[in-house]
Amino acid sequence: MESTLRRRVARDDSSCESATPRDESPVKPGDKVKVVHHRPKTKKRRTTAIFLLGSLFGLIAAGFFAKNNDLINFPELGDLSMDSLFDALPAGFVKDMRDLVNGERDFVESYDAFSVGVKVRSEGLTVDHPIIMIPGVISTGLESWGTSNVSRPYFRKRLWGSWTMMRALVTDKEVWKRHIMLDKATGLDPPDIKLRAAQGFDATDFFITGYWIWNKILENLASLGYDSTNSFTAAYDWRLAYPNLEVRDAYFTRLKSYIEMAVHVQNKKVVLASHSMGSQVVFYFFHWVASDQGGKGGDDWVENHIDGWINVSGCMLGAVKDVTAILSGEMRDTAQLNSFAVYGLEKFLSKEERAEIFRAMPGMSSMLPMGGNAIWGDLNSAPDDQPGQKHSYGSLLNFRIGQNWTTPNKNFTVDEAMEYLFNTTEDWYRDQVQGSYSLGVAHTKAEVEANERIPRKWVNPLETRLPLAPNLKIYCFYGVGKPTERAYYYKSPDRGISTTLNMTIDTALIQGDIDHGVIMGEGDGTVNLMSTGYMCNRGWKMKRYNPASVKVTVVEMPHEPERFNPRGGPNTADHVDILGRQNLNEYILRVAAGQGHTIQDYVVSNIREYAKEAKIYDEDE
């Protein structure tokens, strides 16, 4: 089974002129490298899953084009004319989104949403540990609690995660931006603005009407016997830098209280289930709750209160697409749109506006890639490079010779890209990010222990350790086999265009493995395999990062989408859609029911080989 699921590199003898990196001489026409799968290739499914704002607009477009109301009802849109929006919305999204909504309807009608829970219960499993769910980036709705004149029309309405958001974006964009962006100086609420994370299960089960996030997991937990007395959702304002989650909202204090209450009432330790950015929040919380600078719980608090941590698609070492989102407001989702769709997207939010918004949400920058060149490679090689690959993935930002005279005169690794980002962005952004996070590597036990006293290190698992909790169990569940952004080609902005950006993705470049300026690698479609898999398969095997020898179980889930299901079906491994995957739901129920020990490691990618190539070594080696 493993051999059939591993990805291999194949030679393609077709002649294609390779793009020439800035720091190399021109390359003659030759072979190109591409990743292929052994399983029969199905029709490519255009991803409309959510990551940052760029991939949001396709999802929303369907609602506006459902003029006869046969797809989705929009009670919040009022008298807004659908006809008036045709010129503004990307036309290329229409078919995708009609397929999405119809597929969702067919899926709901044909799939018993409670079947996993019923199956597990029939085997004799029942409620055991209380469970607390920590959602991922952007999956929590944000609602307005401001009472100033500018906020009153939106009081207690969601300006993120509802159709009110889209109406505000289209008809009142500047007001929407004013609400959604944090104060650039403080990283907290702007004057007269008050946006807060919605609470309860409603905060995360659906993103917008018909687009489920945690809903499938909640349904199956209910089938096992869970309800609002023994399961909770710890939603948070994902825009805030992690220290400010506590400063403004006392988020970690409240999370500590929820856990302690659950343990007291149920007389059982808690299971935490996190997704994506939520896994970073949990890791930060483990440090905060034990520290004298945080929750003052002591080193034994996690041991006494947490039975297991289910880490679903955790971006533990960040994601490279976060660099381009912040640098130029772009990613693959925007780079590969056709010209008319780009025009429609730009009418909503230009690249400059998107970059400004991302920077004014310091929580997003927690997902900048960690580990530098040691994890992500240098100009000559990267741990996840494929045999025969023309240029290393370690060359993250690339520039063509003779075309980009205003761009840097060499290609950038991750380390160099981060240096460039901080040197060219505003002081307020640099101060917020560098004051809240650290992206380096601690190579000794002494460094790791010292970092326990430095809060900005707490988000980085390569600089800090797991809790001193020998009975804690960690379960890493993540998707593999879906092409994921790994490197980019950039250029100077087109002449004659007024812009504040220094450079943008070279979307006109389509050569060999370069698709509209984007080079794909391995992952779950959003987060790179080195991020989801390195700590689980190797980092936490090192004594300095796991001194209590916490048991870590890894289950990789191959991406095997159904041909005509726009969300991928029960075997998808997409970063967001995996939350509806049937075996993931079953594993979560087994851990909650106290049967996590029955889950066995299942690794089908080459992550263990890649991890050995990373330039991070055990002190005993």
Side-chain angles (χ1 to χ4, degrees):
M1 178 69 172
E2 180 173 340
S3 62
T4 63
L5 289 171
R6 286 188 183 274
R7 307 174 84 186
R8 64 179 177 88
V9 176
R11 281 293 198 186
D12 186 346
D13 293 331
S14 61
S15 178
C16 181
E17 185 177 356
S18 300
T20 305
R22 171 77 66 162
D23 57 338
E24 294 184 7
S25 59
V27 180
K28 296 179 180 180
D31 297 330
K32 65 177 182 179
V33 179
K34 64 180 180 180
V35 178
V36 300
H37 297 268
H38 287 283
R39 56 188 296 274
K41 187 174 181 180
T42 60
K43 179 181 179 181
K44 181 179 178 181
R45 182 175 67 97
R46 184 176 181 86
T47 302
T48 52
I50 308 165
F51 183 81
L52 307 178
L53 287 173
S55 50
L56 169 65
F57 299 100
L59 179 63
I60 295 170
F64 292 105
F65 283 94
K67 296 172 61 178
N68 60 1
N69 221 25
D70 64 337
L71 300 182
I72 303 178
N73 293 317
F74 304 102
E76 294 176 321
L77 290 180
D79 296 328
L80 185 63
S81 169
M82 298 303 173
D83 288 329
S84 67
L85 298 174
F86 271 91
D87 291 335
L89 287 166
F93 285 143
V94 181
K95 183 179 184 299
D96 288 341
M97 295 320 306
R98 287 193 182 277
D99 289 345
L100 172 64
V101 178
N102 283 324
E104 286 287 277
R105 182 171 57 193
D106 293 343
F107 179 73
V108 170
E109 292 174 353
S110 64
Y111 169 57
D112 183 357
F114 303 94
S115 60
V116 174
V118 172
K119 171 181 177 293
V120 171
R121 191 165 188 168
S122 70
E123 296 175 10
L125 276 66
T126 186
V127 171
D128 190 9
H129 299 284
I131 184 169
I132 295 180
M133 292 158 279
I134 298 89
V137 62
I138 81 166
S139 59
T140 296
L142 301 177
E143 57 190 24
S144 176
W145 282 82
T147 57
S148 63
N149 288 337
V150 73
S151 296
R152 285 178 184 174
Y154 300 107
F155 182 71
R156 293 204 63 201
K157 294 182 180 179
R158 293 192 185 182
L159 290 177
W160 186 271
S162 75
W163 296 109
T164 297
M165 169 189 67
M166 193 58 194
R167 183 181 64 177
L169 179 58
V170 173
T171 65
D172 209 5
K173 183 176 75 170
E174 292 305 317
V175 170
W176 179 82
K177 285 176 57 181
R178 183 176 169 186
H179 280 78
I180 206 71
M181 294 168 63
L182 295 170
D183 186 272
K184 294 176 180 178
T186 66
L188 300 171
D189 293 325
D192 300 324
I193 300 296
K194 190 175 185 180
L195 226 60
R196 294 294 181 267
Q199 297 300 313
F201 298 130
D202 289 344
T204 60
D205 56 349
F206 288 90
F207 179 65
I208 55 175
T209 305
Y211 196 96
W212 51 263
I213 303 291
W214 284 81
N215 179 256
K216 305 302 179 188
I217 292 173
L218 294 174
E219 289 172 342
N220 285 304
L221 283 170
S223 297
L224 191 63
Y226 281 91
D227 54 40
S228 58
T229 66
N230 49 21
S231 59
F232 311 87
T233 297
Y236 57 94
D237 188 341
W238 40 268
R239 302 173 303 153
L240 291 168
Y242 294 170
N244 282 339
L245 282 172
E246 180 64 20
V247 169
R248 197 196 73 177
D249 297 345
Y251 173 78
F252 296 113
T253 295
R254 291 187 292 113
L255 179 56
K256 178 174 181 279
S257 177
Y258 294 157
I259 294 170
E260 290 174 342
M261 179 189 67
V263 172
H264 175 73
V265 172
Q266 305 292 330
N267 199 28
K268 279 279 189 177
K269 291 196 286 187
V270 165
V271 166
L272 299 177
S274 61
H275 173 248
S276 188
M277 181 182 178
S279 295
Q280 288 189 341
V281 172
V282 169
F283 189 75
Y284 185 96
F285 171 73
F286 284 157
H287 297 288
W288 178 91
V289 75
S291 174
D292 289 339
Q293 302 178 62
K296 300 179 174 59
D299 285 336
D300 61 349
W301 190 93
V302 173
E303 174 72 7
N304 294 333
H305 292 86
I306 308 298
D307 179 79
W309 170 28
I310 303 171
N311 170 17
V312 181
S313 304
C315 49
M316 301 313 302
L317 299 182
V320 299
K321 71 189 301 180
D322 205 39
V323 177
T324 60
I326 293 166
L327 182 63
S328 61
E330 299 173 287
M331 58 199 74
R332 181 195 180 197
D333 307 271
T334 58
Q336 294 185 345
L337 295 177
N338 60 46
S339 58
F340 188 77
V342 170
Y343 170 77
L345 177 59
E346 291 291 309
K347 288 194 70 173
F348 276 115
L349 290 171
S350 67
K351 290 191 286 289
E352 293 87 348
E353 289 178 305
R354 297 196 300 268
E356 181 189 19
I357 291 172
F358 294 146
R359 294 173 194 177
M361 298 175 173
M364 295 288 197
S365 293
S366 69
M367 294 180 292
L368 289 169
M370 303 176 202
N373 294 3
I375 287 289
W376 303 99
D378 54 36
L379 297 178
N380 298 314
S381 65
D384 51 339
D385 280 348
Q386 302 298 308
Q389 191 168 308
K390 186 67 66 177
H391 303 297
S392 173
Y393 286 142
S395 188
L396 178 65
L397 302 184
N398 302 278
F399 309 96
R400 287 196 278 175
I401 290 176
Q403 184 169 341
N404 303 305
W405 60 274
T406 62
T407 53
N409 60 6
K410 60 170 292 185
N411 296 334
F412 287 164
T413 64
V414 162
D415 281 340
E416 292 162 334
M418 297 311 303
E419 181 181 2
Y420 179 83
L421 178 67
F422 291 135
N423 284 341
T424 57
T425 48
E426 302 86 345
D427 290 345
W428 58 263
Y429 171 76
R430 181 177 63 250
D431 293 344
Q432 283 285 333
V433 174
Q434 293 184 333
S436 301
Y437 314 119
S438 179
L439 307 175
V441 178
H443 292 282
T444 67
K445 178 181 178 181
E447 289 179 84
V448 169
E449 290 303 319
N451 289 341
E452 293 299 312
R453 297 183 290 276
I454 306 175
R456 70 186 187 90
K457 305 279 188 178
W458 291 348
V459 72
N460 187 348
L462 291 171
E463 294 188 290
T464 53
R465 56 169 169 75
L466 286 173
L468 301 178
N471 290 308
L472 173 69
K473 281 88 69 178
I474 297 176
Y475 305 89
C476 294
F477 303 142
Y478 58 88
V480 297
K482 187 170 185 183
T484 305
E485 294 167 53
R486 187 62 176 85
Y488 306 85
Y489 273 79
Y490 263 79
K491 66 181 183 65
S492 57
D494 295 332
R495 294 183 181 181
I497 295 179
S498 176
T499 179
T500 59
L501 299 175
N502 296 313
M503 53 185 180
T504 62
I505 292 178
D506 191 354
T507 57
L509 181 56
I510 307 174
Q511 293 182 356
D513 296 326
I514 309 164
D515 185 3
H516 294 82
V518 182
I519 301 171
M520 307 301 286
E522 297 180 70
D524 63 9
T526 294
V527 179
N528 309 92
L529 179 59
M530 287 297 289
S531 179
T532 53
Y534 178 83
M535 294 307 301
C536 300
N537 288 279
R538 180 165 174 81
W540 287 329
K541 308 295 183 184
M542 298 184 190
K543 195 67 175 177
R544 69 176 180 270
Y545 297 134
N546 187 3
S549 299
V550 173
K551 178 176 172 55
V552 180
T553 301
V554 182
V555 177
E556 292 187 337
M557 300 183 179
H559 186 52
E560 298 173 337
E562 291 182 349
R563 181 185 294 267
F564 299 111
N565 190 321
R567 295 294 296 274
N571 293 312
T572 181
D574 175 83
H575 183 70
V576 174
D577 296 343
I578 196 173
L579 292 173
R581 185 179 175 114
Q582 287 186 333
N583 67 335
L584 173 67
N585 275 250
E586 180 177 341
Y587 290 149
I588 291 174
L589 298 190
R590 291 189 181 280
V591 173
Q595 297 298 309
H597 62 275
T598 64
I599 301 172
Q600 302 298 315
D601 285 340
Y602 184 70
V603 178
V604 297
S605 74
N606 291 317
I607 183 59
R608 290 172 177 168
E609 288 79 1
Y610 299 157
K612 290 178 182 178
E613 296 298 318
K615 296 179 181 178
I616 300 176
Y617 308 104
D618 198 314
E619 289 177 274
D620 296 333
E621 293 178 347

